[in-house]
Structures are given as C-alpha cells and as structure tokens.
Amino acid sequence: MPKYNLDSKELAEKYDELSESQLDNGKKLIERLGIANGQSVLDIGAGTGRLAFHVLEQIGPRGRLIGIDPLPERISIAVKNNRFPNAHFQVASAEDLSFIPSDSIDSVYLNAVFHWVPDKKKALEEIQRVLKPGGKVALTTGARELAHTACFRVVTDHVLSRKPYSSVVKLDEYVTARLGVTSTQLVELLLEAGLNVANIEIVSRRRRFSTGAQIVDFLESSTFGNYLSHVPLELRDQAREDIVAEFENRRTEDGIDFRTYTIFAIAEKKSSTP
Ligand SMILES: C[S@@+](CC[C@H](N)C(=O)[O-])C[C@H]1O[C@@H](n2cnc3c(N)ncnc32)[C@H](O)[C@@H]1O
C-alpha cells in the first residue's frame, strides 16, 4: 500500500517541475479519449493539475472539470495555478466519489494513477456510477507483465540487490510492485465494472533525462515519497547516491534515456442497462 503521509510541499513542487513526460503521455491519452467542447470531465489523481489545465482549454468555458487527488500538497498547487473558473480541485480518492452525482460526467481520466489505487474494483465501480451512459474513461498505467522492462525499477533493483542493501531490502516491497495490473487483468476489471472496453494498447516511447539526480528526483516526487520507503532509513541517502551513479553509467552523448511501455486503455459505459 502506498503511504499518503510521506508527501511534502517540496516533493509536490518538484513533481510539478519534472512531470513533463507524464504530461506528454497524458496529452496523448486525452487525444485518444476525444474530449469535446462543453463536456463535464473528472480528472482522478490530478496531481498538481498540469494535464487538467490542458483539458480545460479543450472543453472551453461551457465545460466543467473536477480534479481530485488524495494529496493535499498537490491539490494546493493545482488550486494556486488554476486560472479557470469552471474547474474545481479537491482532496479525494478514486474509491470514494460520493460527492459526485450518478450519470453526471461525460469523460473520466486517470493519467499515471491506476497502479497507485489500492482498491481498483471499488474505483471502477465508482467511475461507472458517475459516468453518463455512453460516457468514457481513459487511463494510462504500467503493464505488470512488462515489469522486467521498466527501466526505473530495473536500475533501482540492480543497485539494491548489491551489498549493503541485499541483506535488508526485499525487492518485491517496492511500493507499486504488488499494486500494478497486467493488461489482461485490466480488461477483466473494466468488464467486471460493467464497462465496454473500446481500446487497449501498449505504447512505447523514449524518455530522456539530463542527469541521474534528475531521474531520482522525478522518482521520489512522482511516488510522493514512497520510492525508497522499502530501504532502511539509515541506508537511504547512500542508496540514493548509488542509484544516481548507476543511472549516470547509462549516459550517452544525448543524455540518459530509456524506452518505456505504457498501457493506454479506453472504456465506455453502456448506453442502457441490459
Ligand atoms: C504520478 S502522479 C500523476 C499525476 C497526474 N495525473 C499527472 O498526469 O501528472 C500519481 C497521482 O496519483 C494519485 N493517487 C494515488 N492514489 C490515489 C487514489 N487512491 N485515488 C486517486 N488518486 C490517487 C497521487 O496522489 C498522485 O498525485
């Protein structure tokens, strides 16, 4: 389970600054979702609101957007940066959307969020409930069956399987290790929630960073402090340094870059209940 009390103002600010590659994926997801002018939209796990601001440009002044996130520091940045009167940001989790009426939302999206949600079944039931008939949900998430290709985790595990970490760190306690889903499990979950799966694909792209320290900053801020929580406190600074050095070893003249594989899924609420 992720801990939600490890976040800080600094981590939230860092995420806002370093989340360009998540934003790029998010924009591609929104393109696939096909959000139209005037729609009502729910951004689940909105973080600091960068993708929501992009969506608000698309729905125009007649649309409305609700952005939720369980982390108060992230929501507070979204509120501070928001210039749109038709946007509302609040602290809440995917599993409890009780403040949103049933059949009221045209489009829901979760960008780089679903692997974090502890109760995925409940979250999808709630999404199904708040969507209008024919409304859509879109999400991006890592594919669990491709965990061995997930470069950030592979490099981290590589360092933590060496001394002095190997005897005290359990690699499968990496925070999202047990939370992620395979693409087949995702299809099953969407179907079980009563949604029609319109499209599911695994998208490959390159992500480039300028330094190893920037990658570790990104990992710490995007996991809201959970990244090295499985490493004993007294070894964490040293682990951070060793991981930075390991990423630096992979530098080419263009910087440090990796190929990543992300599930993009779109599902739809049935138009009428059978
Ligand atoms: C990597 S960030 C992605 C933020 C944003 N969607 C983006 O595209 O930049 C993951 C976000 O998921 C949120 N999150 C974690 N557990 C959640 C839950 N149960 N319900 C909703 N959001 C959750 C975190 O608080 C965090 O802001």
Side-chain angles (χ1 to χ4, degrees):
M1 280 278 281
K3 289 203 176 98
Y4 291 101
N5 60 356
L6 303 176
D7 198 33
S8 65
K9 191 166 182 281
E10 292 68 34
L11 284 174
E13 283 168 354
K14 266 259 135 62
Y15 183 74
D16 197 50
E17 189 190 314
L18 296 175
S19 53
E20 205 59 36
S21 67
Q22 311 277 55
L23 182 63
D24 282 353
N25 263 1
K27 286 179 179 172
K28 288 196 182 79
L29 181 73
I30 297 305
E31 225 175 276
R32 285 167 161 80
L33 178 56
I35 285 185
N37 198 284
Q39 281 199 344
S40 54
V41 178
L42 172 64
D43 181 336
I44 296 183
T48 59
R50 293 182 66 183
L51 183 58
F53 302 142
H54 167 76
V55 170
L56 279 151
E57 300 282 358
Q58 307 203 349
I59 58 174
R62 288 186 306 112
R64 94 192 149 90
L65 180 142
I66 304 171
I68 64 160
D69 199 284
L71 300 174
E73 295 290 358
R74 314 264 158 158
I75 287 295
S76 119
I77 293 181
V79 169
K80 188 181 81 191
N81 292 341
N82 178 33
R83 300 286 170 268
F84 297 85
N86 51 338
H88 171 74
F89 292 95
Q90 78 175 66
V91 174
S93 293
E95 294 95 329
D96 180 7
L97 305 177
S98 50
F99 54 96
I100 302 180
S102 301
D103 303 329
S104 65
I105 304 284
D106 293 300
S107 295
V108 178
Y109 62 88
L110 304 88
N111 185 47
V113 172
F114 198 64
H115 41 277
W116 287 110
V117 176
D119 192 342
K120 293 177 170 53
K121 193 168 175 293
K122 181 82 187 105
L124 289 173
E125 278 168 15
E126 277 291 79
I127 290 168
Q128 205 272 352
R129 180 185 66 75
V130 301
L131 275 174
K132 290 179 186 172
K136 288 183 184 161
V137 52
L139 64 90
T140 61
T141 189
R144 190 167 176 169
E145 66 268 45
L146 292 173
H148 62 287
T149 69
C151 54
F152 300 134
R153 171 103 190 269
V154 169
V155 170
T156 306
D157 283 1
H158 180 67
V159 171
L160 298 180
S161 53
R162 300 197 301 240
K163 280 186 180 166
Y165 314 107
S166 51
S167 53
V168 282
V169 175
K170 293 197 179 86
L171 298 182
D172 68 348
E173 282 179 5
Y174 187 85
V175 64
T176 50
R178 293 183 198 147
L179 282 174
V181 287
T182 65
S183 38
T184 340
Q185 284 167 338
L186 177 58
V187 172
E188 275 174 353
L189 280 166
L190 290 164
L191 295 176
E192 271 168 30
L195 295 156
N196 282 332
V197 180
N199 185 263
I200 180 153
E201 61 187 305
I202 292 175
V203 176
S204 153
R205 55 180 290 249
R206 291 202 92 77
R207 293 169 86 159
R208 179 165 294 167
F209 291 84
S210 44
T211 64
Q214 194 188 58
I215 301 178
V216 174
D217 277 350
F218 170 73
L219 292 172
E220 283 174 341
S221 63
S222 66
T223 62
F224 36 102
N226 283 273
Y227 172 51
L228 293 178
S229 56
H230 59 321
V231 177
L233 203 51
E234 63 279 12
L235 285 176
R236 253 181 237 170
D237 286 347
Q238 193 186 336
R240 190 183 196 284
E241 264 179 47
D242 289 346
I243 294 165
V244 168
E246 191 62 41
F247 278 119
E248 285 293 337
N249 282 340
R250 291 164 195 242
R251 172 186 293 286
T252 66
E253 58 188 22
D254 297 326
I256 309 172
D257 71 1
F258 299 99
R259 190 155 287 284
T260 59
Y261 301 94
T262 306
I263 303 177
F264 279 61
I266 313 269
E268 195 175 293
K269 177 161 167 174
K270 291 171 188 153
S271 297
S272 56
T273 0

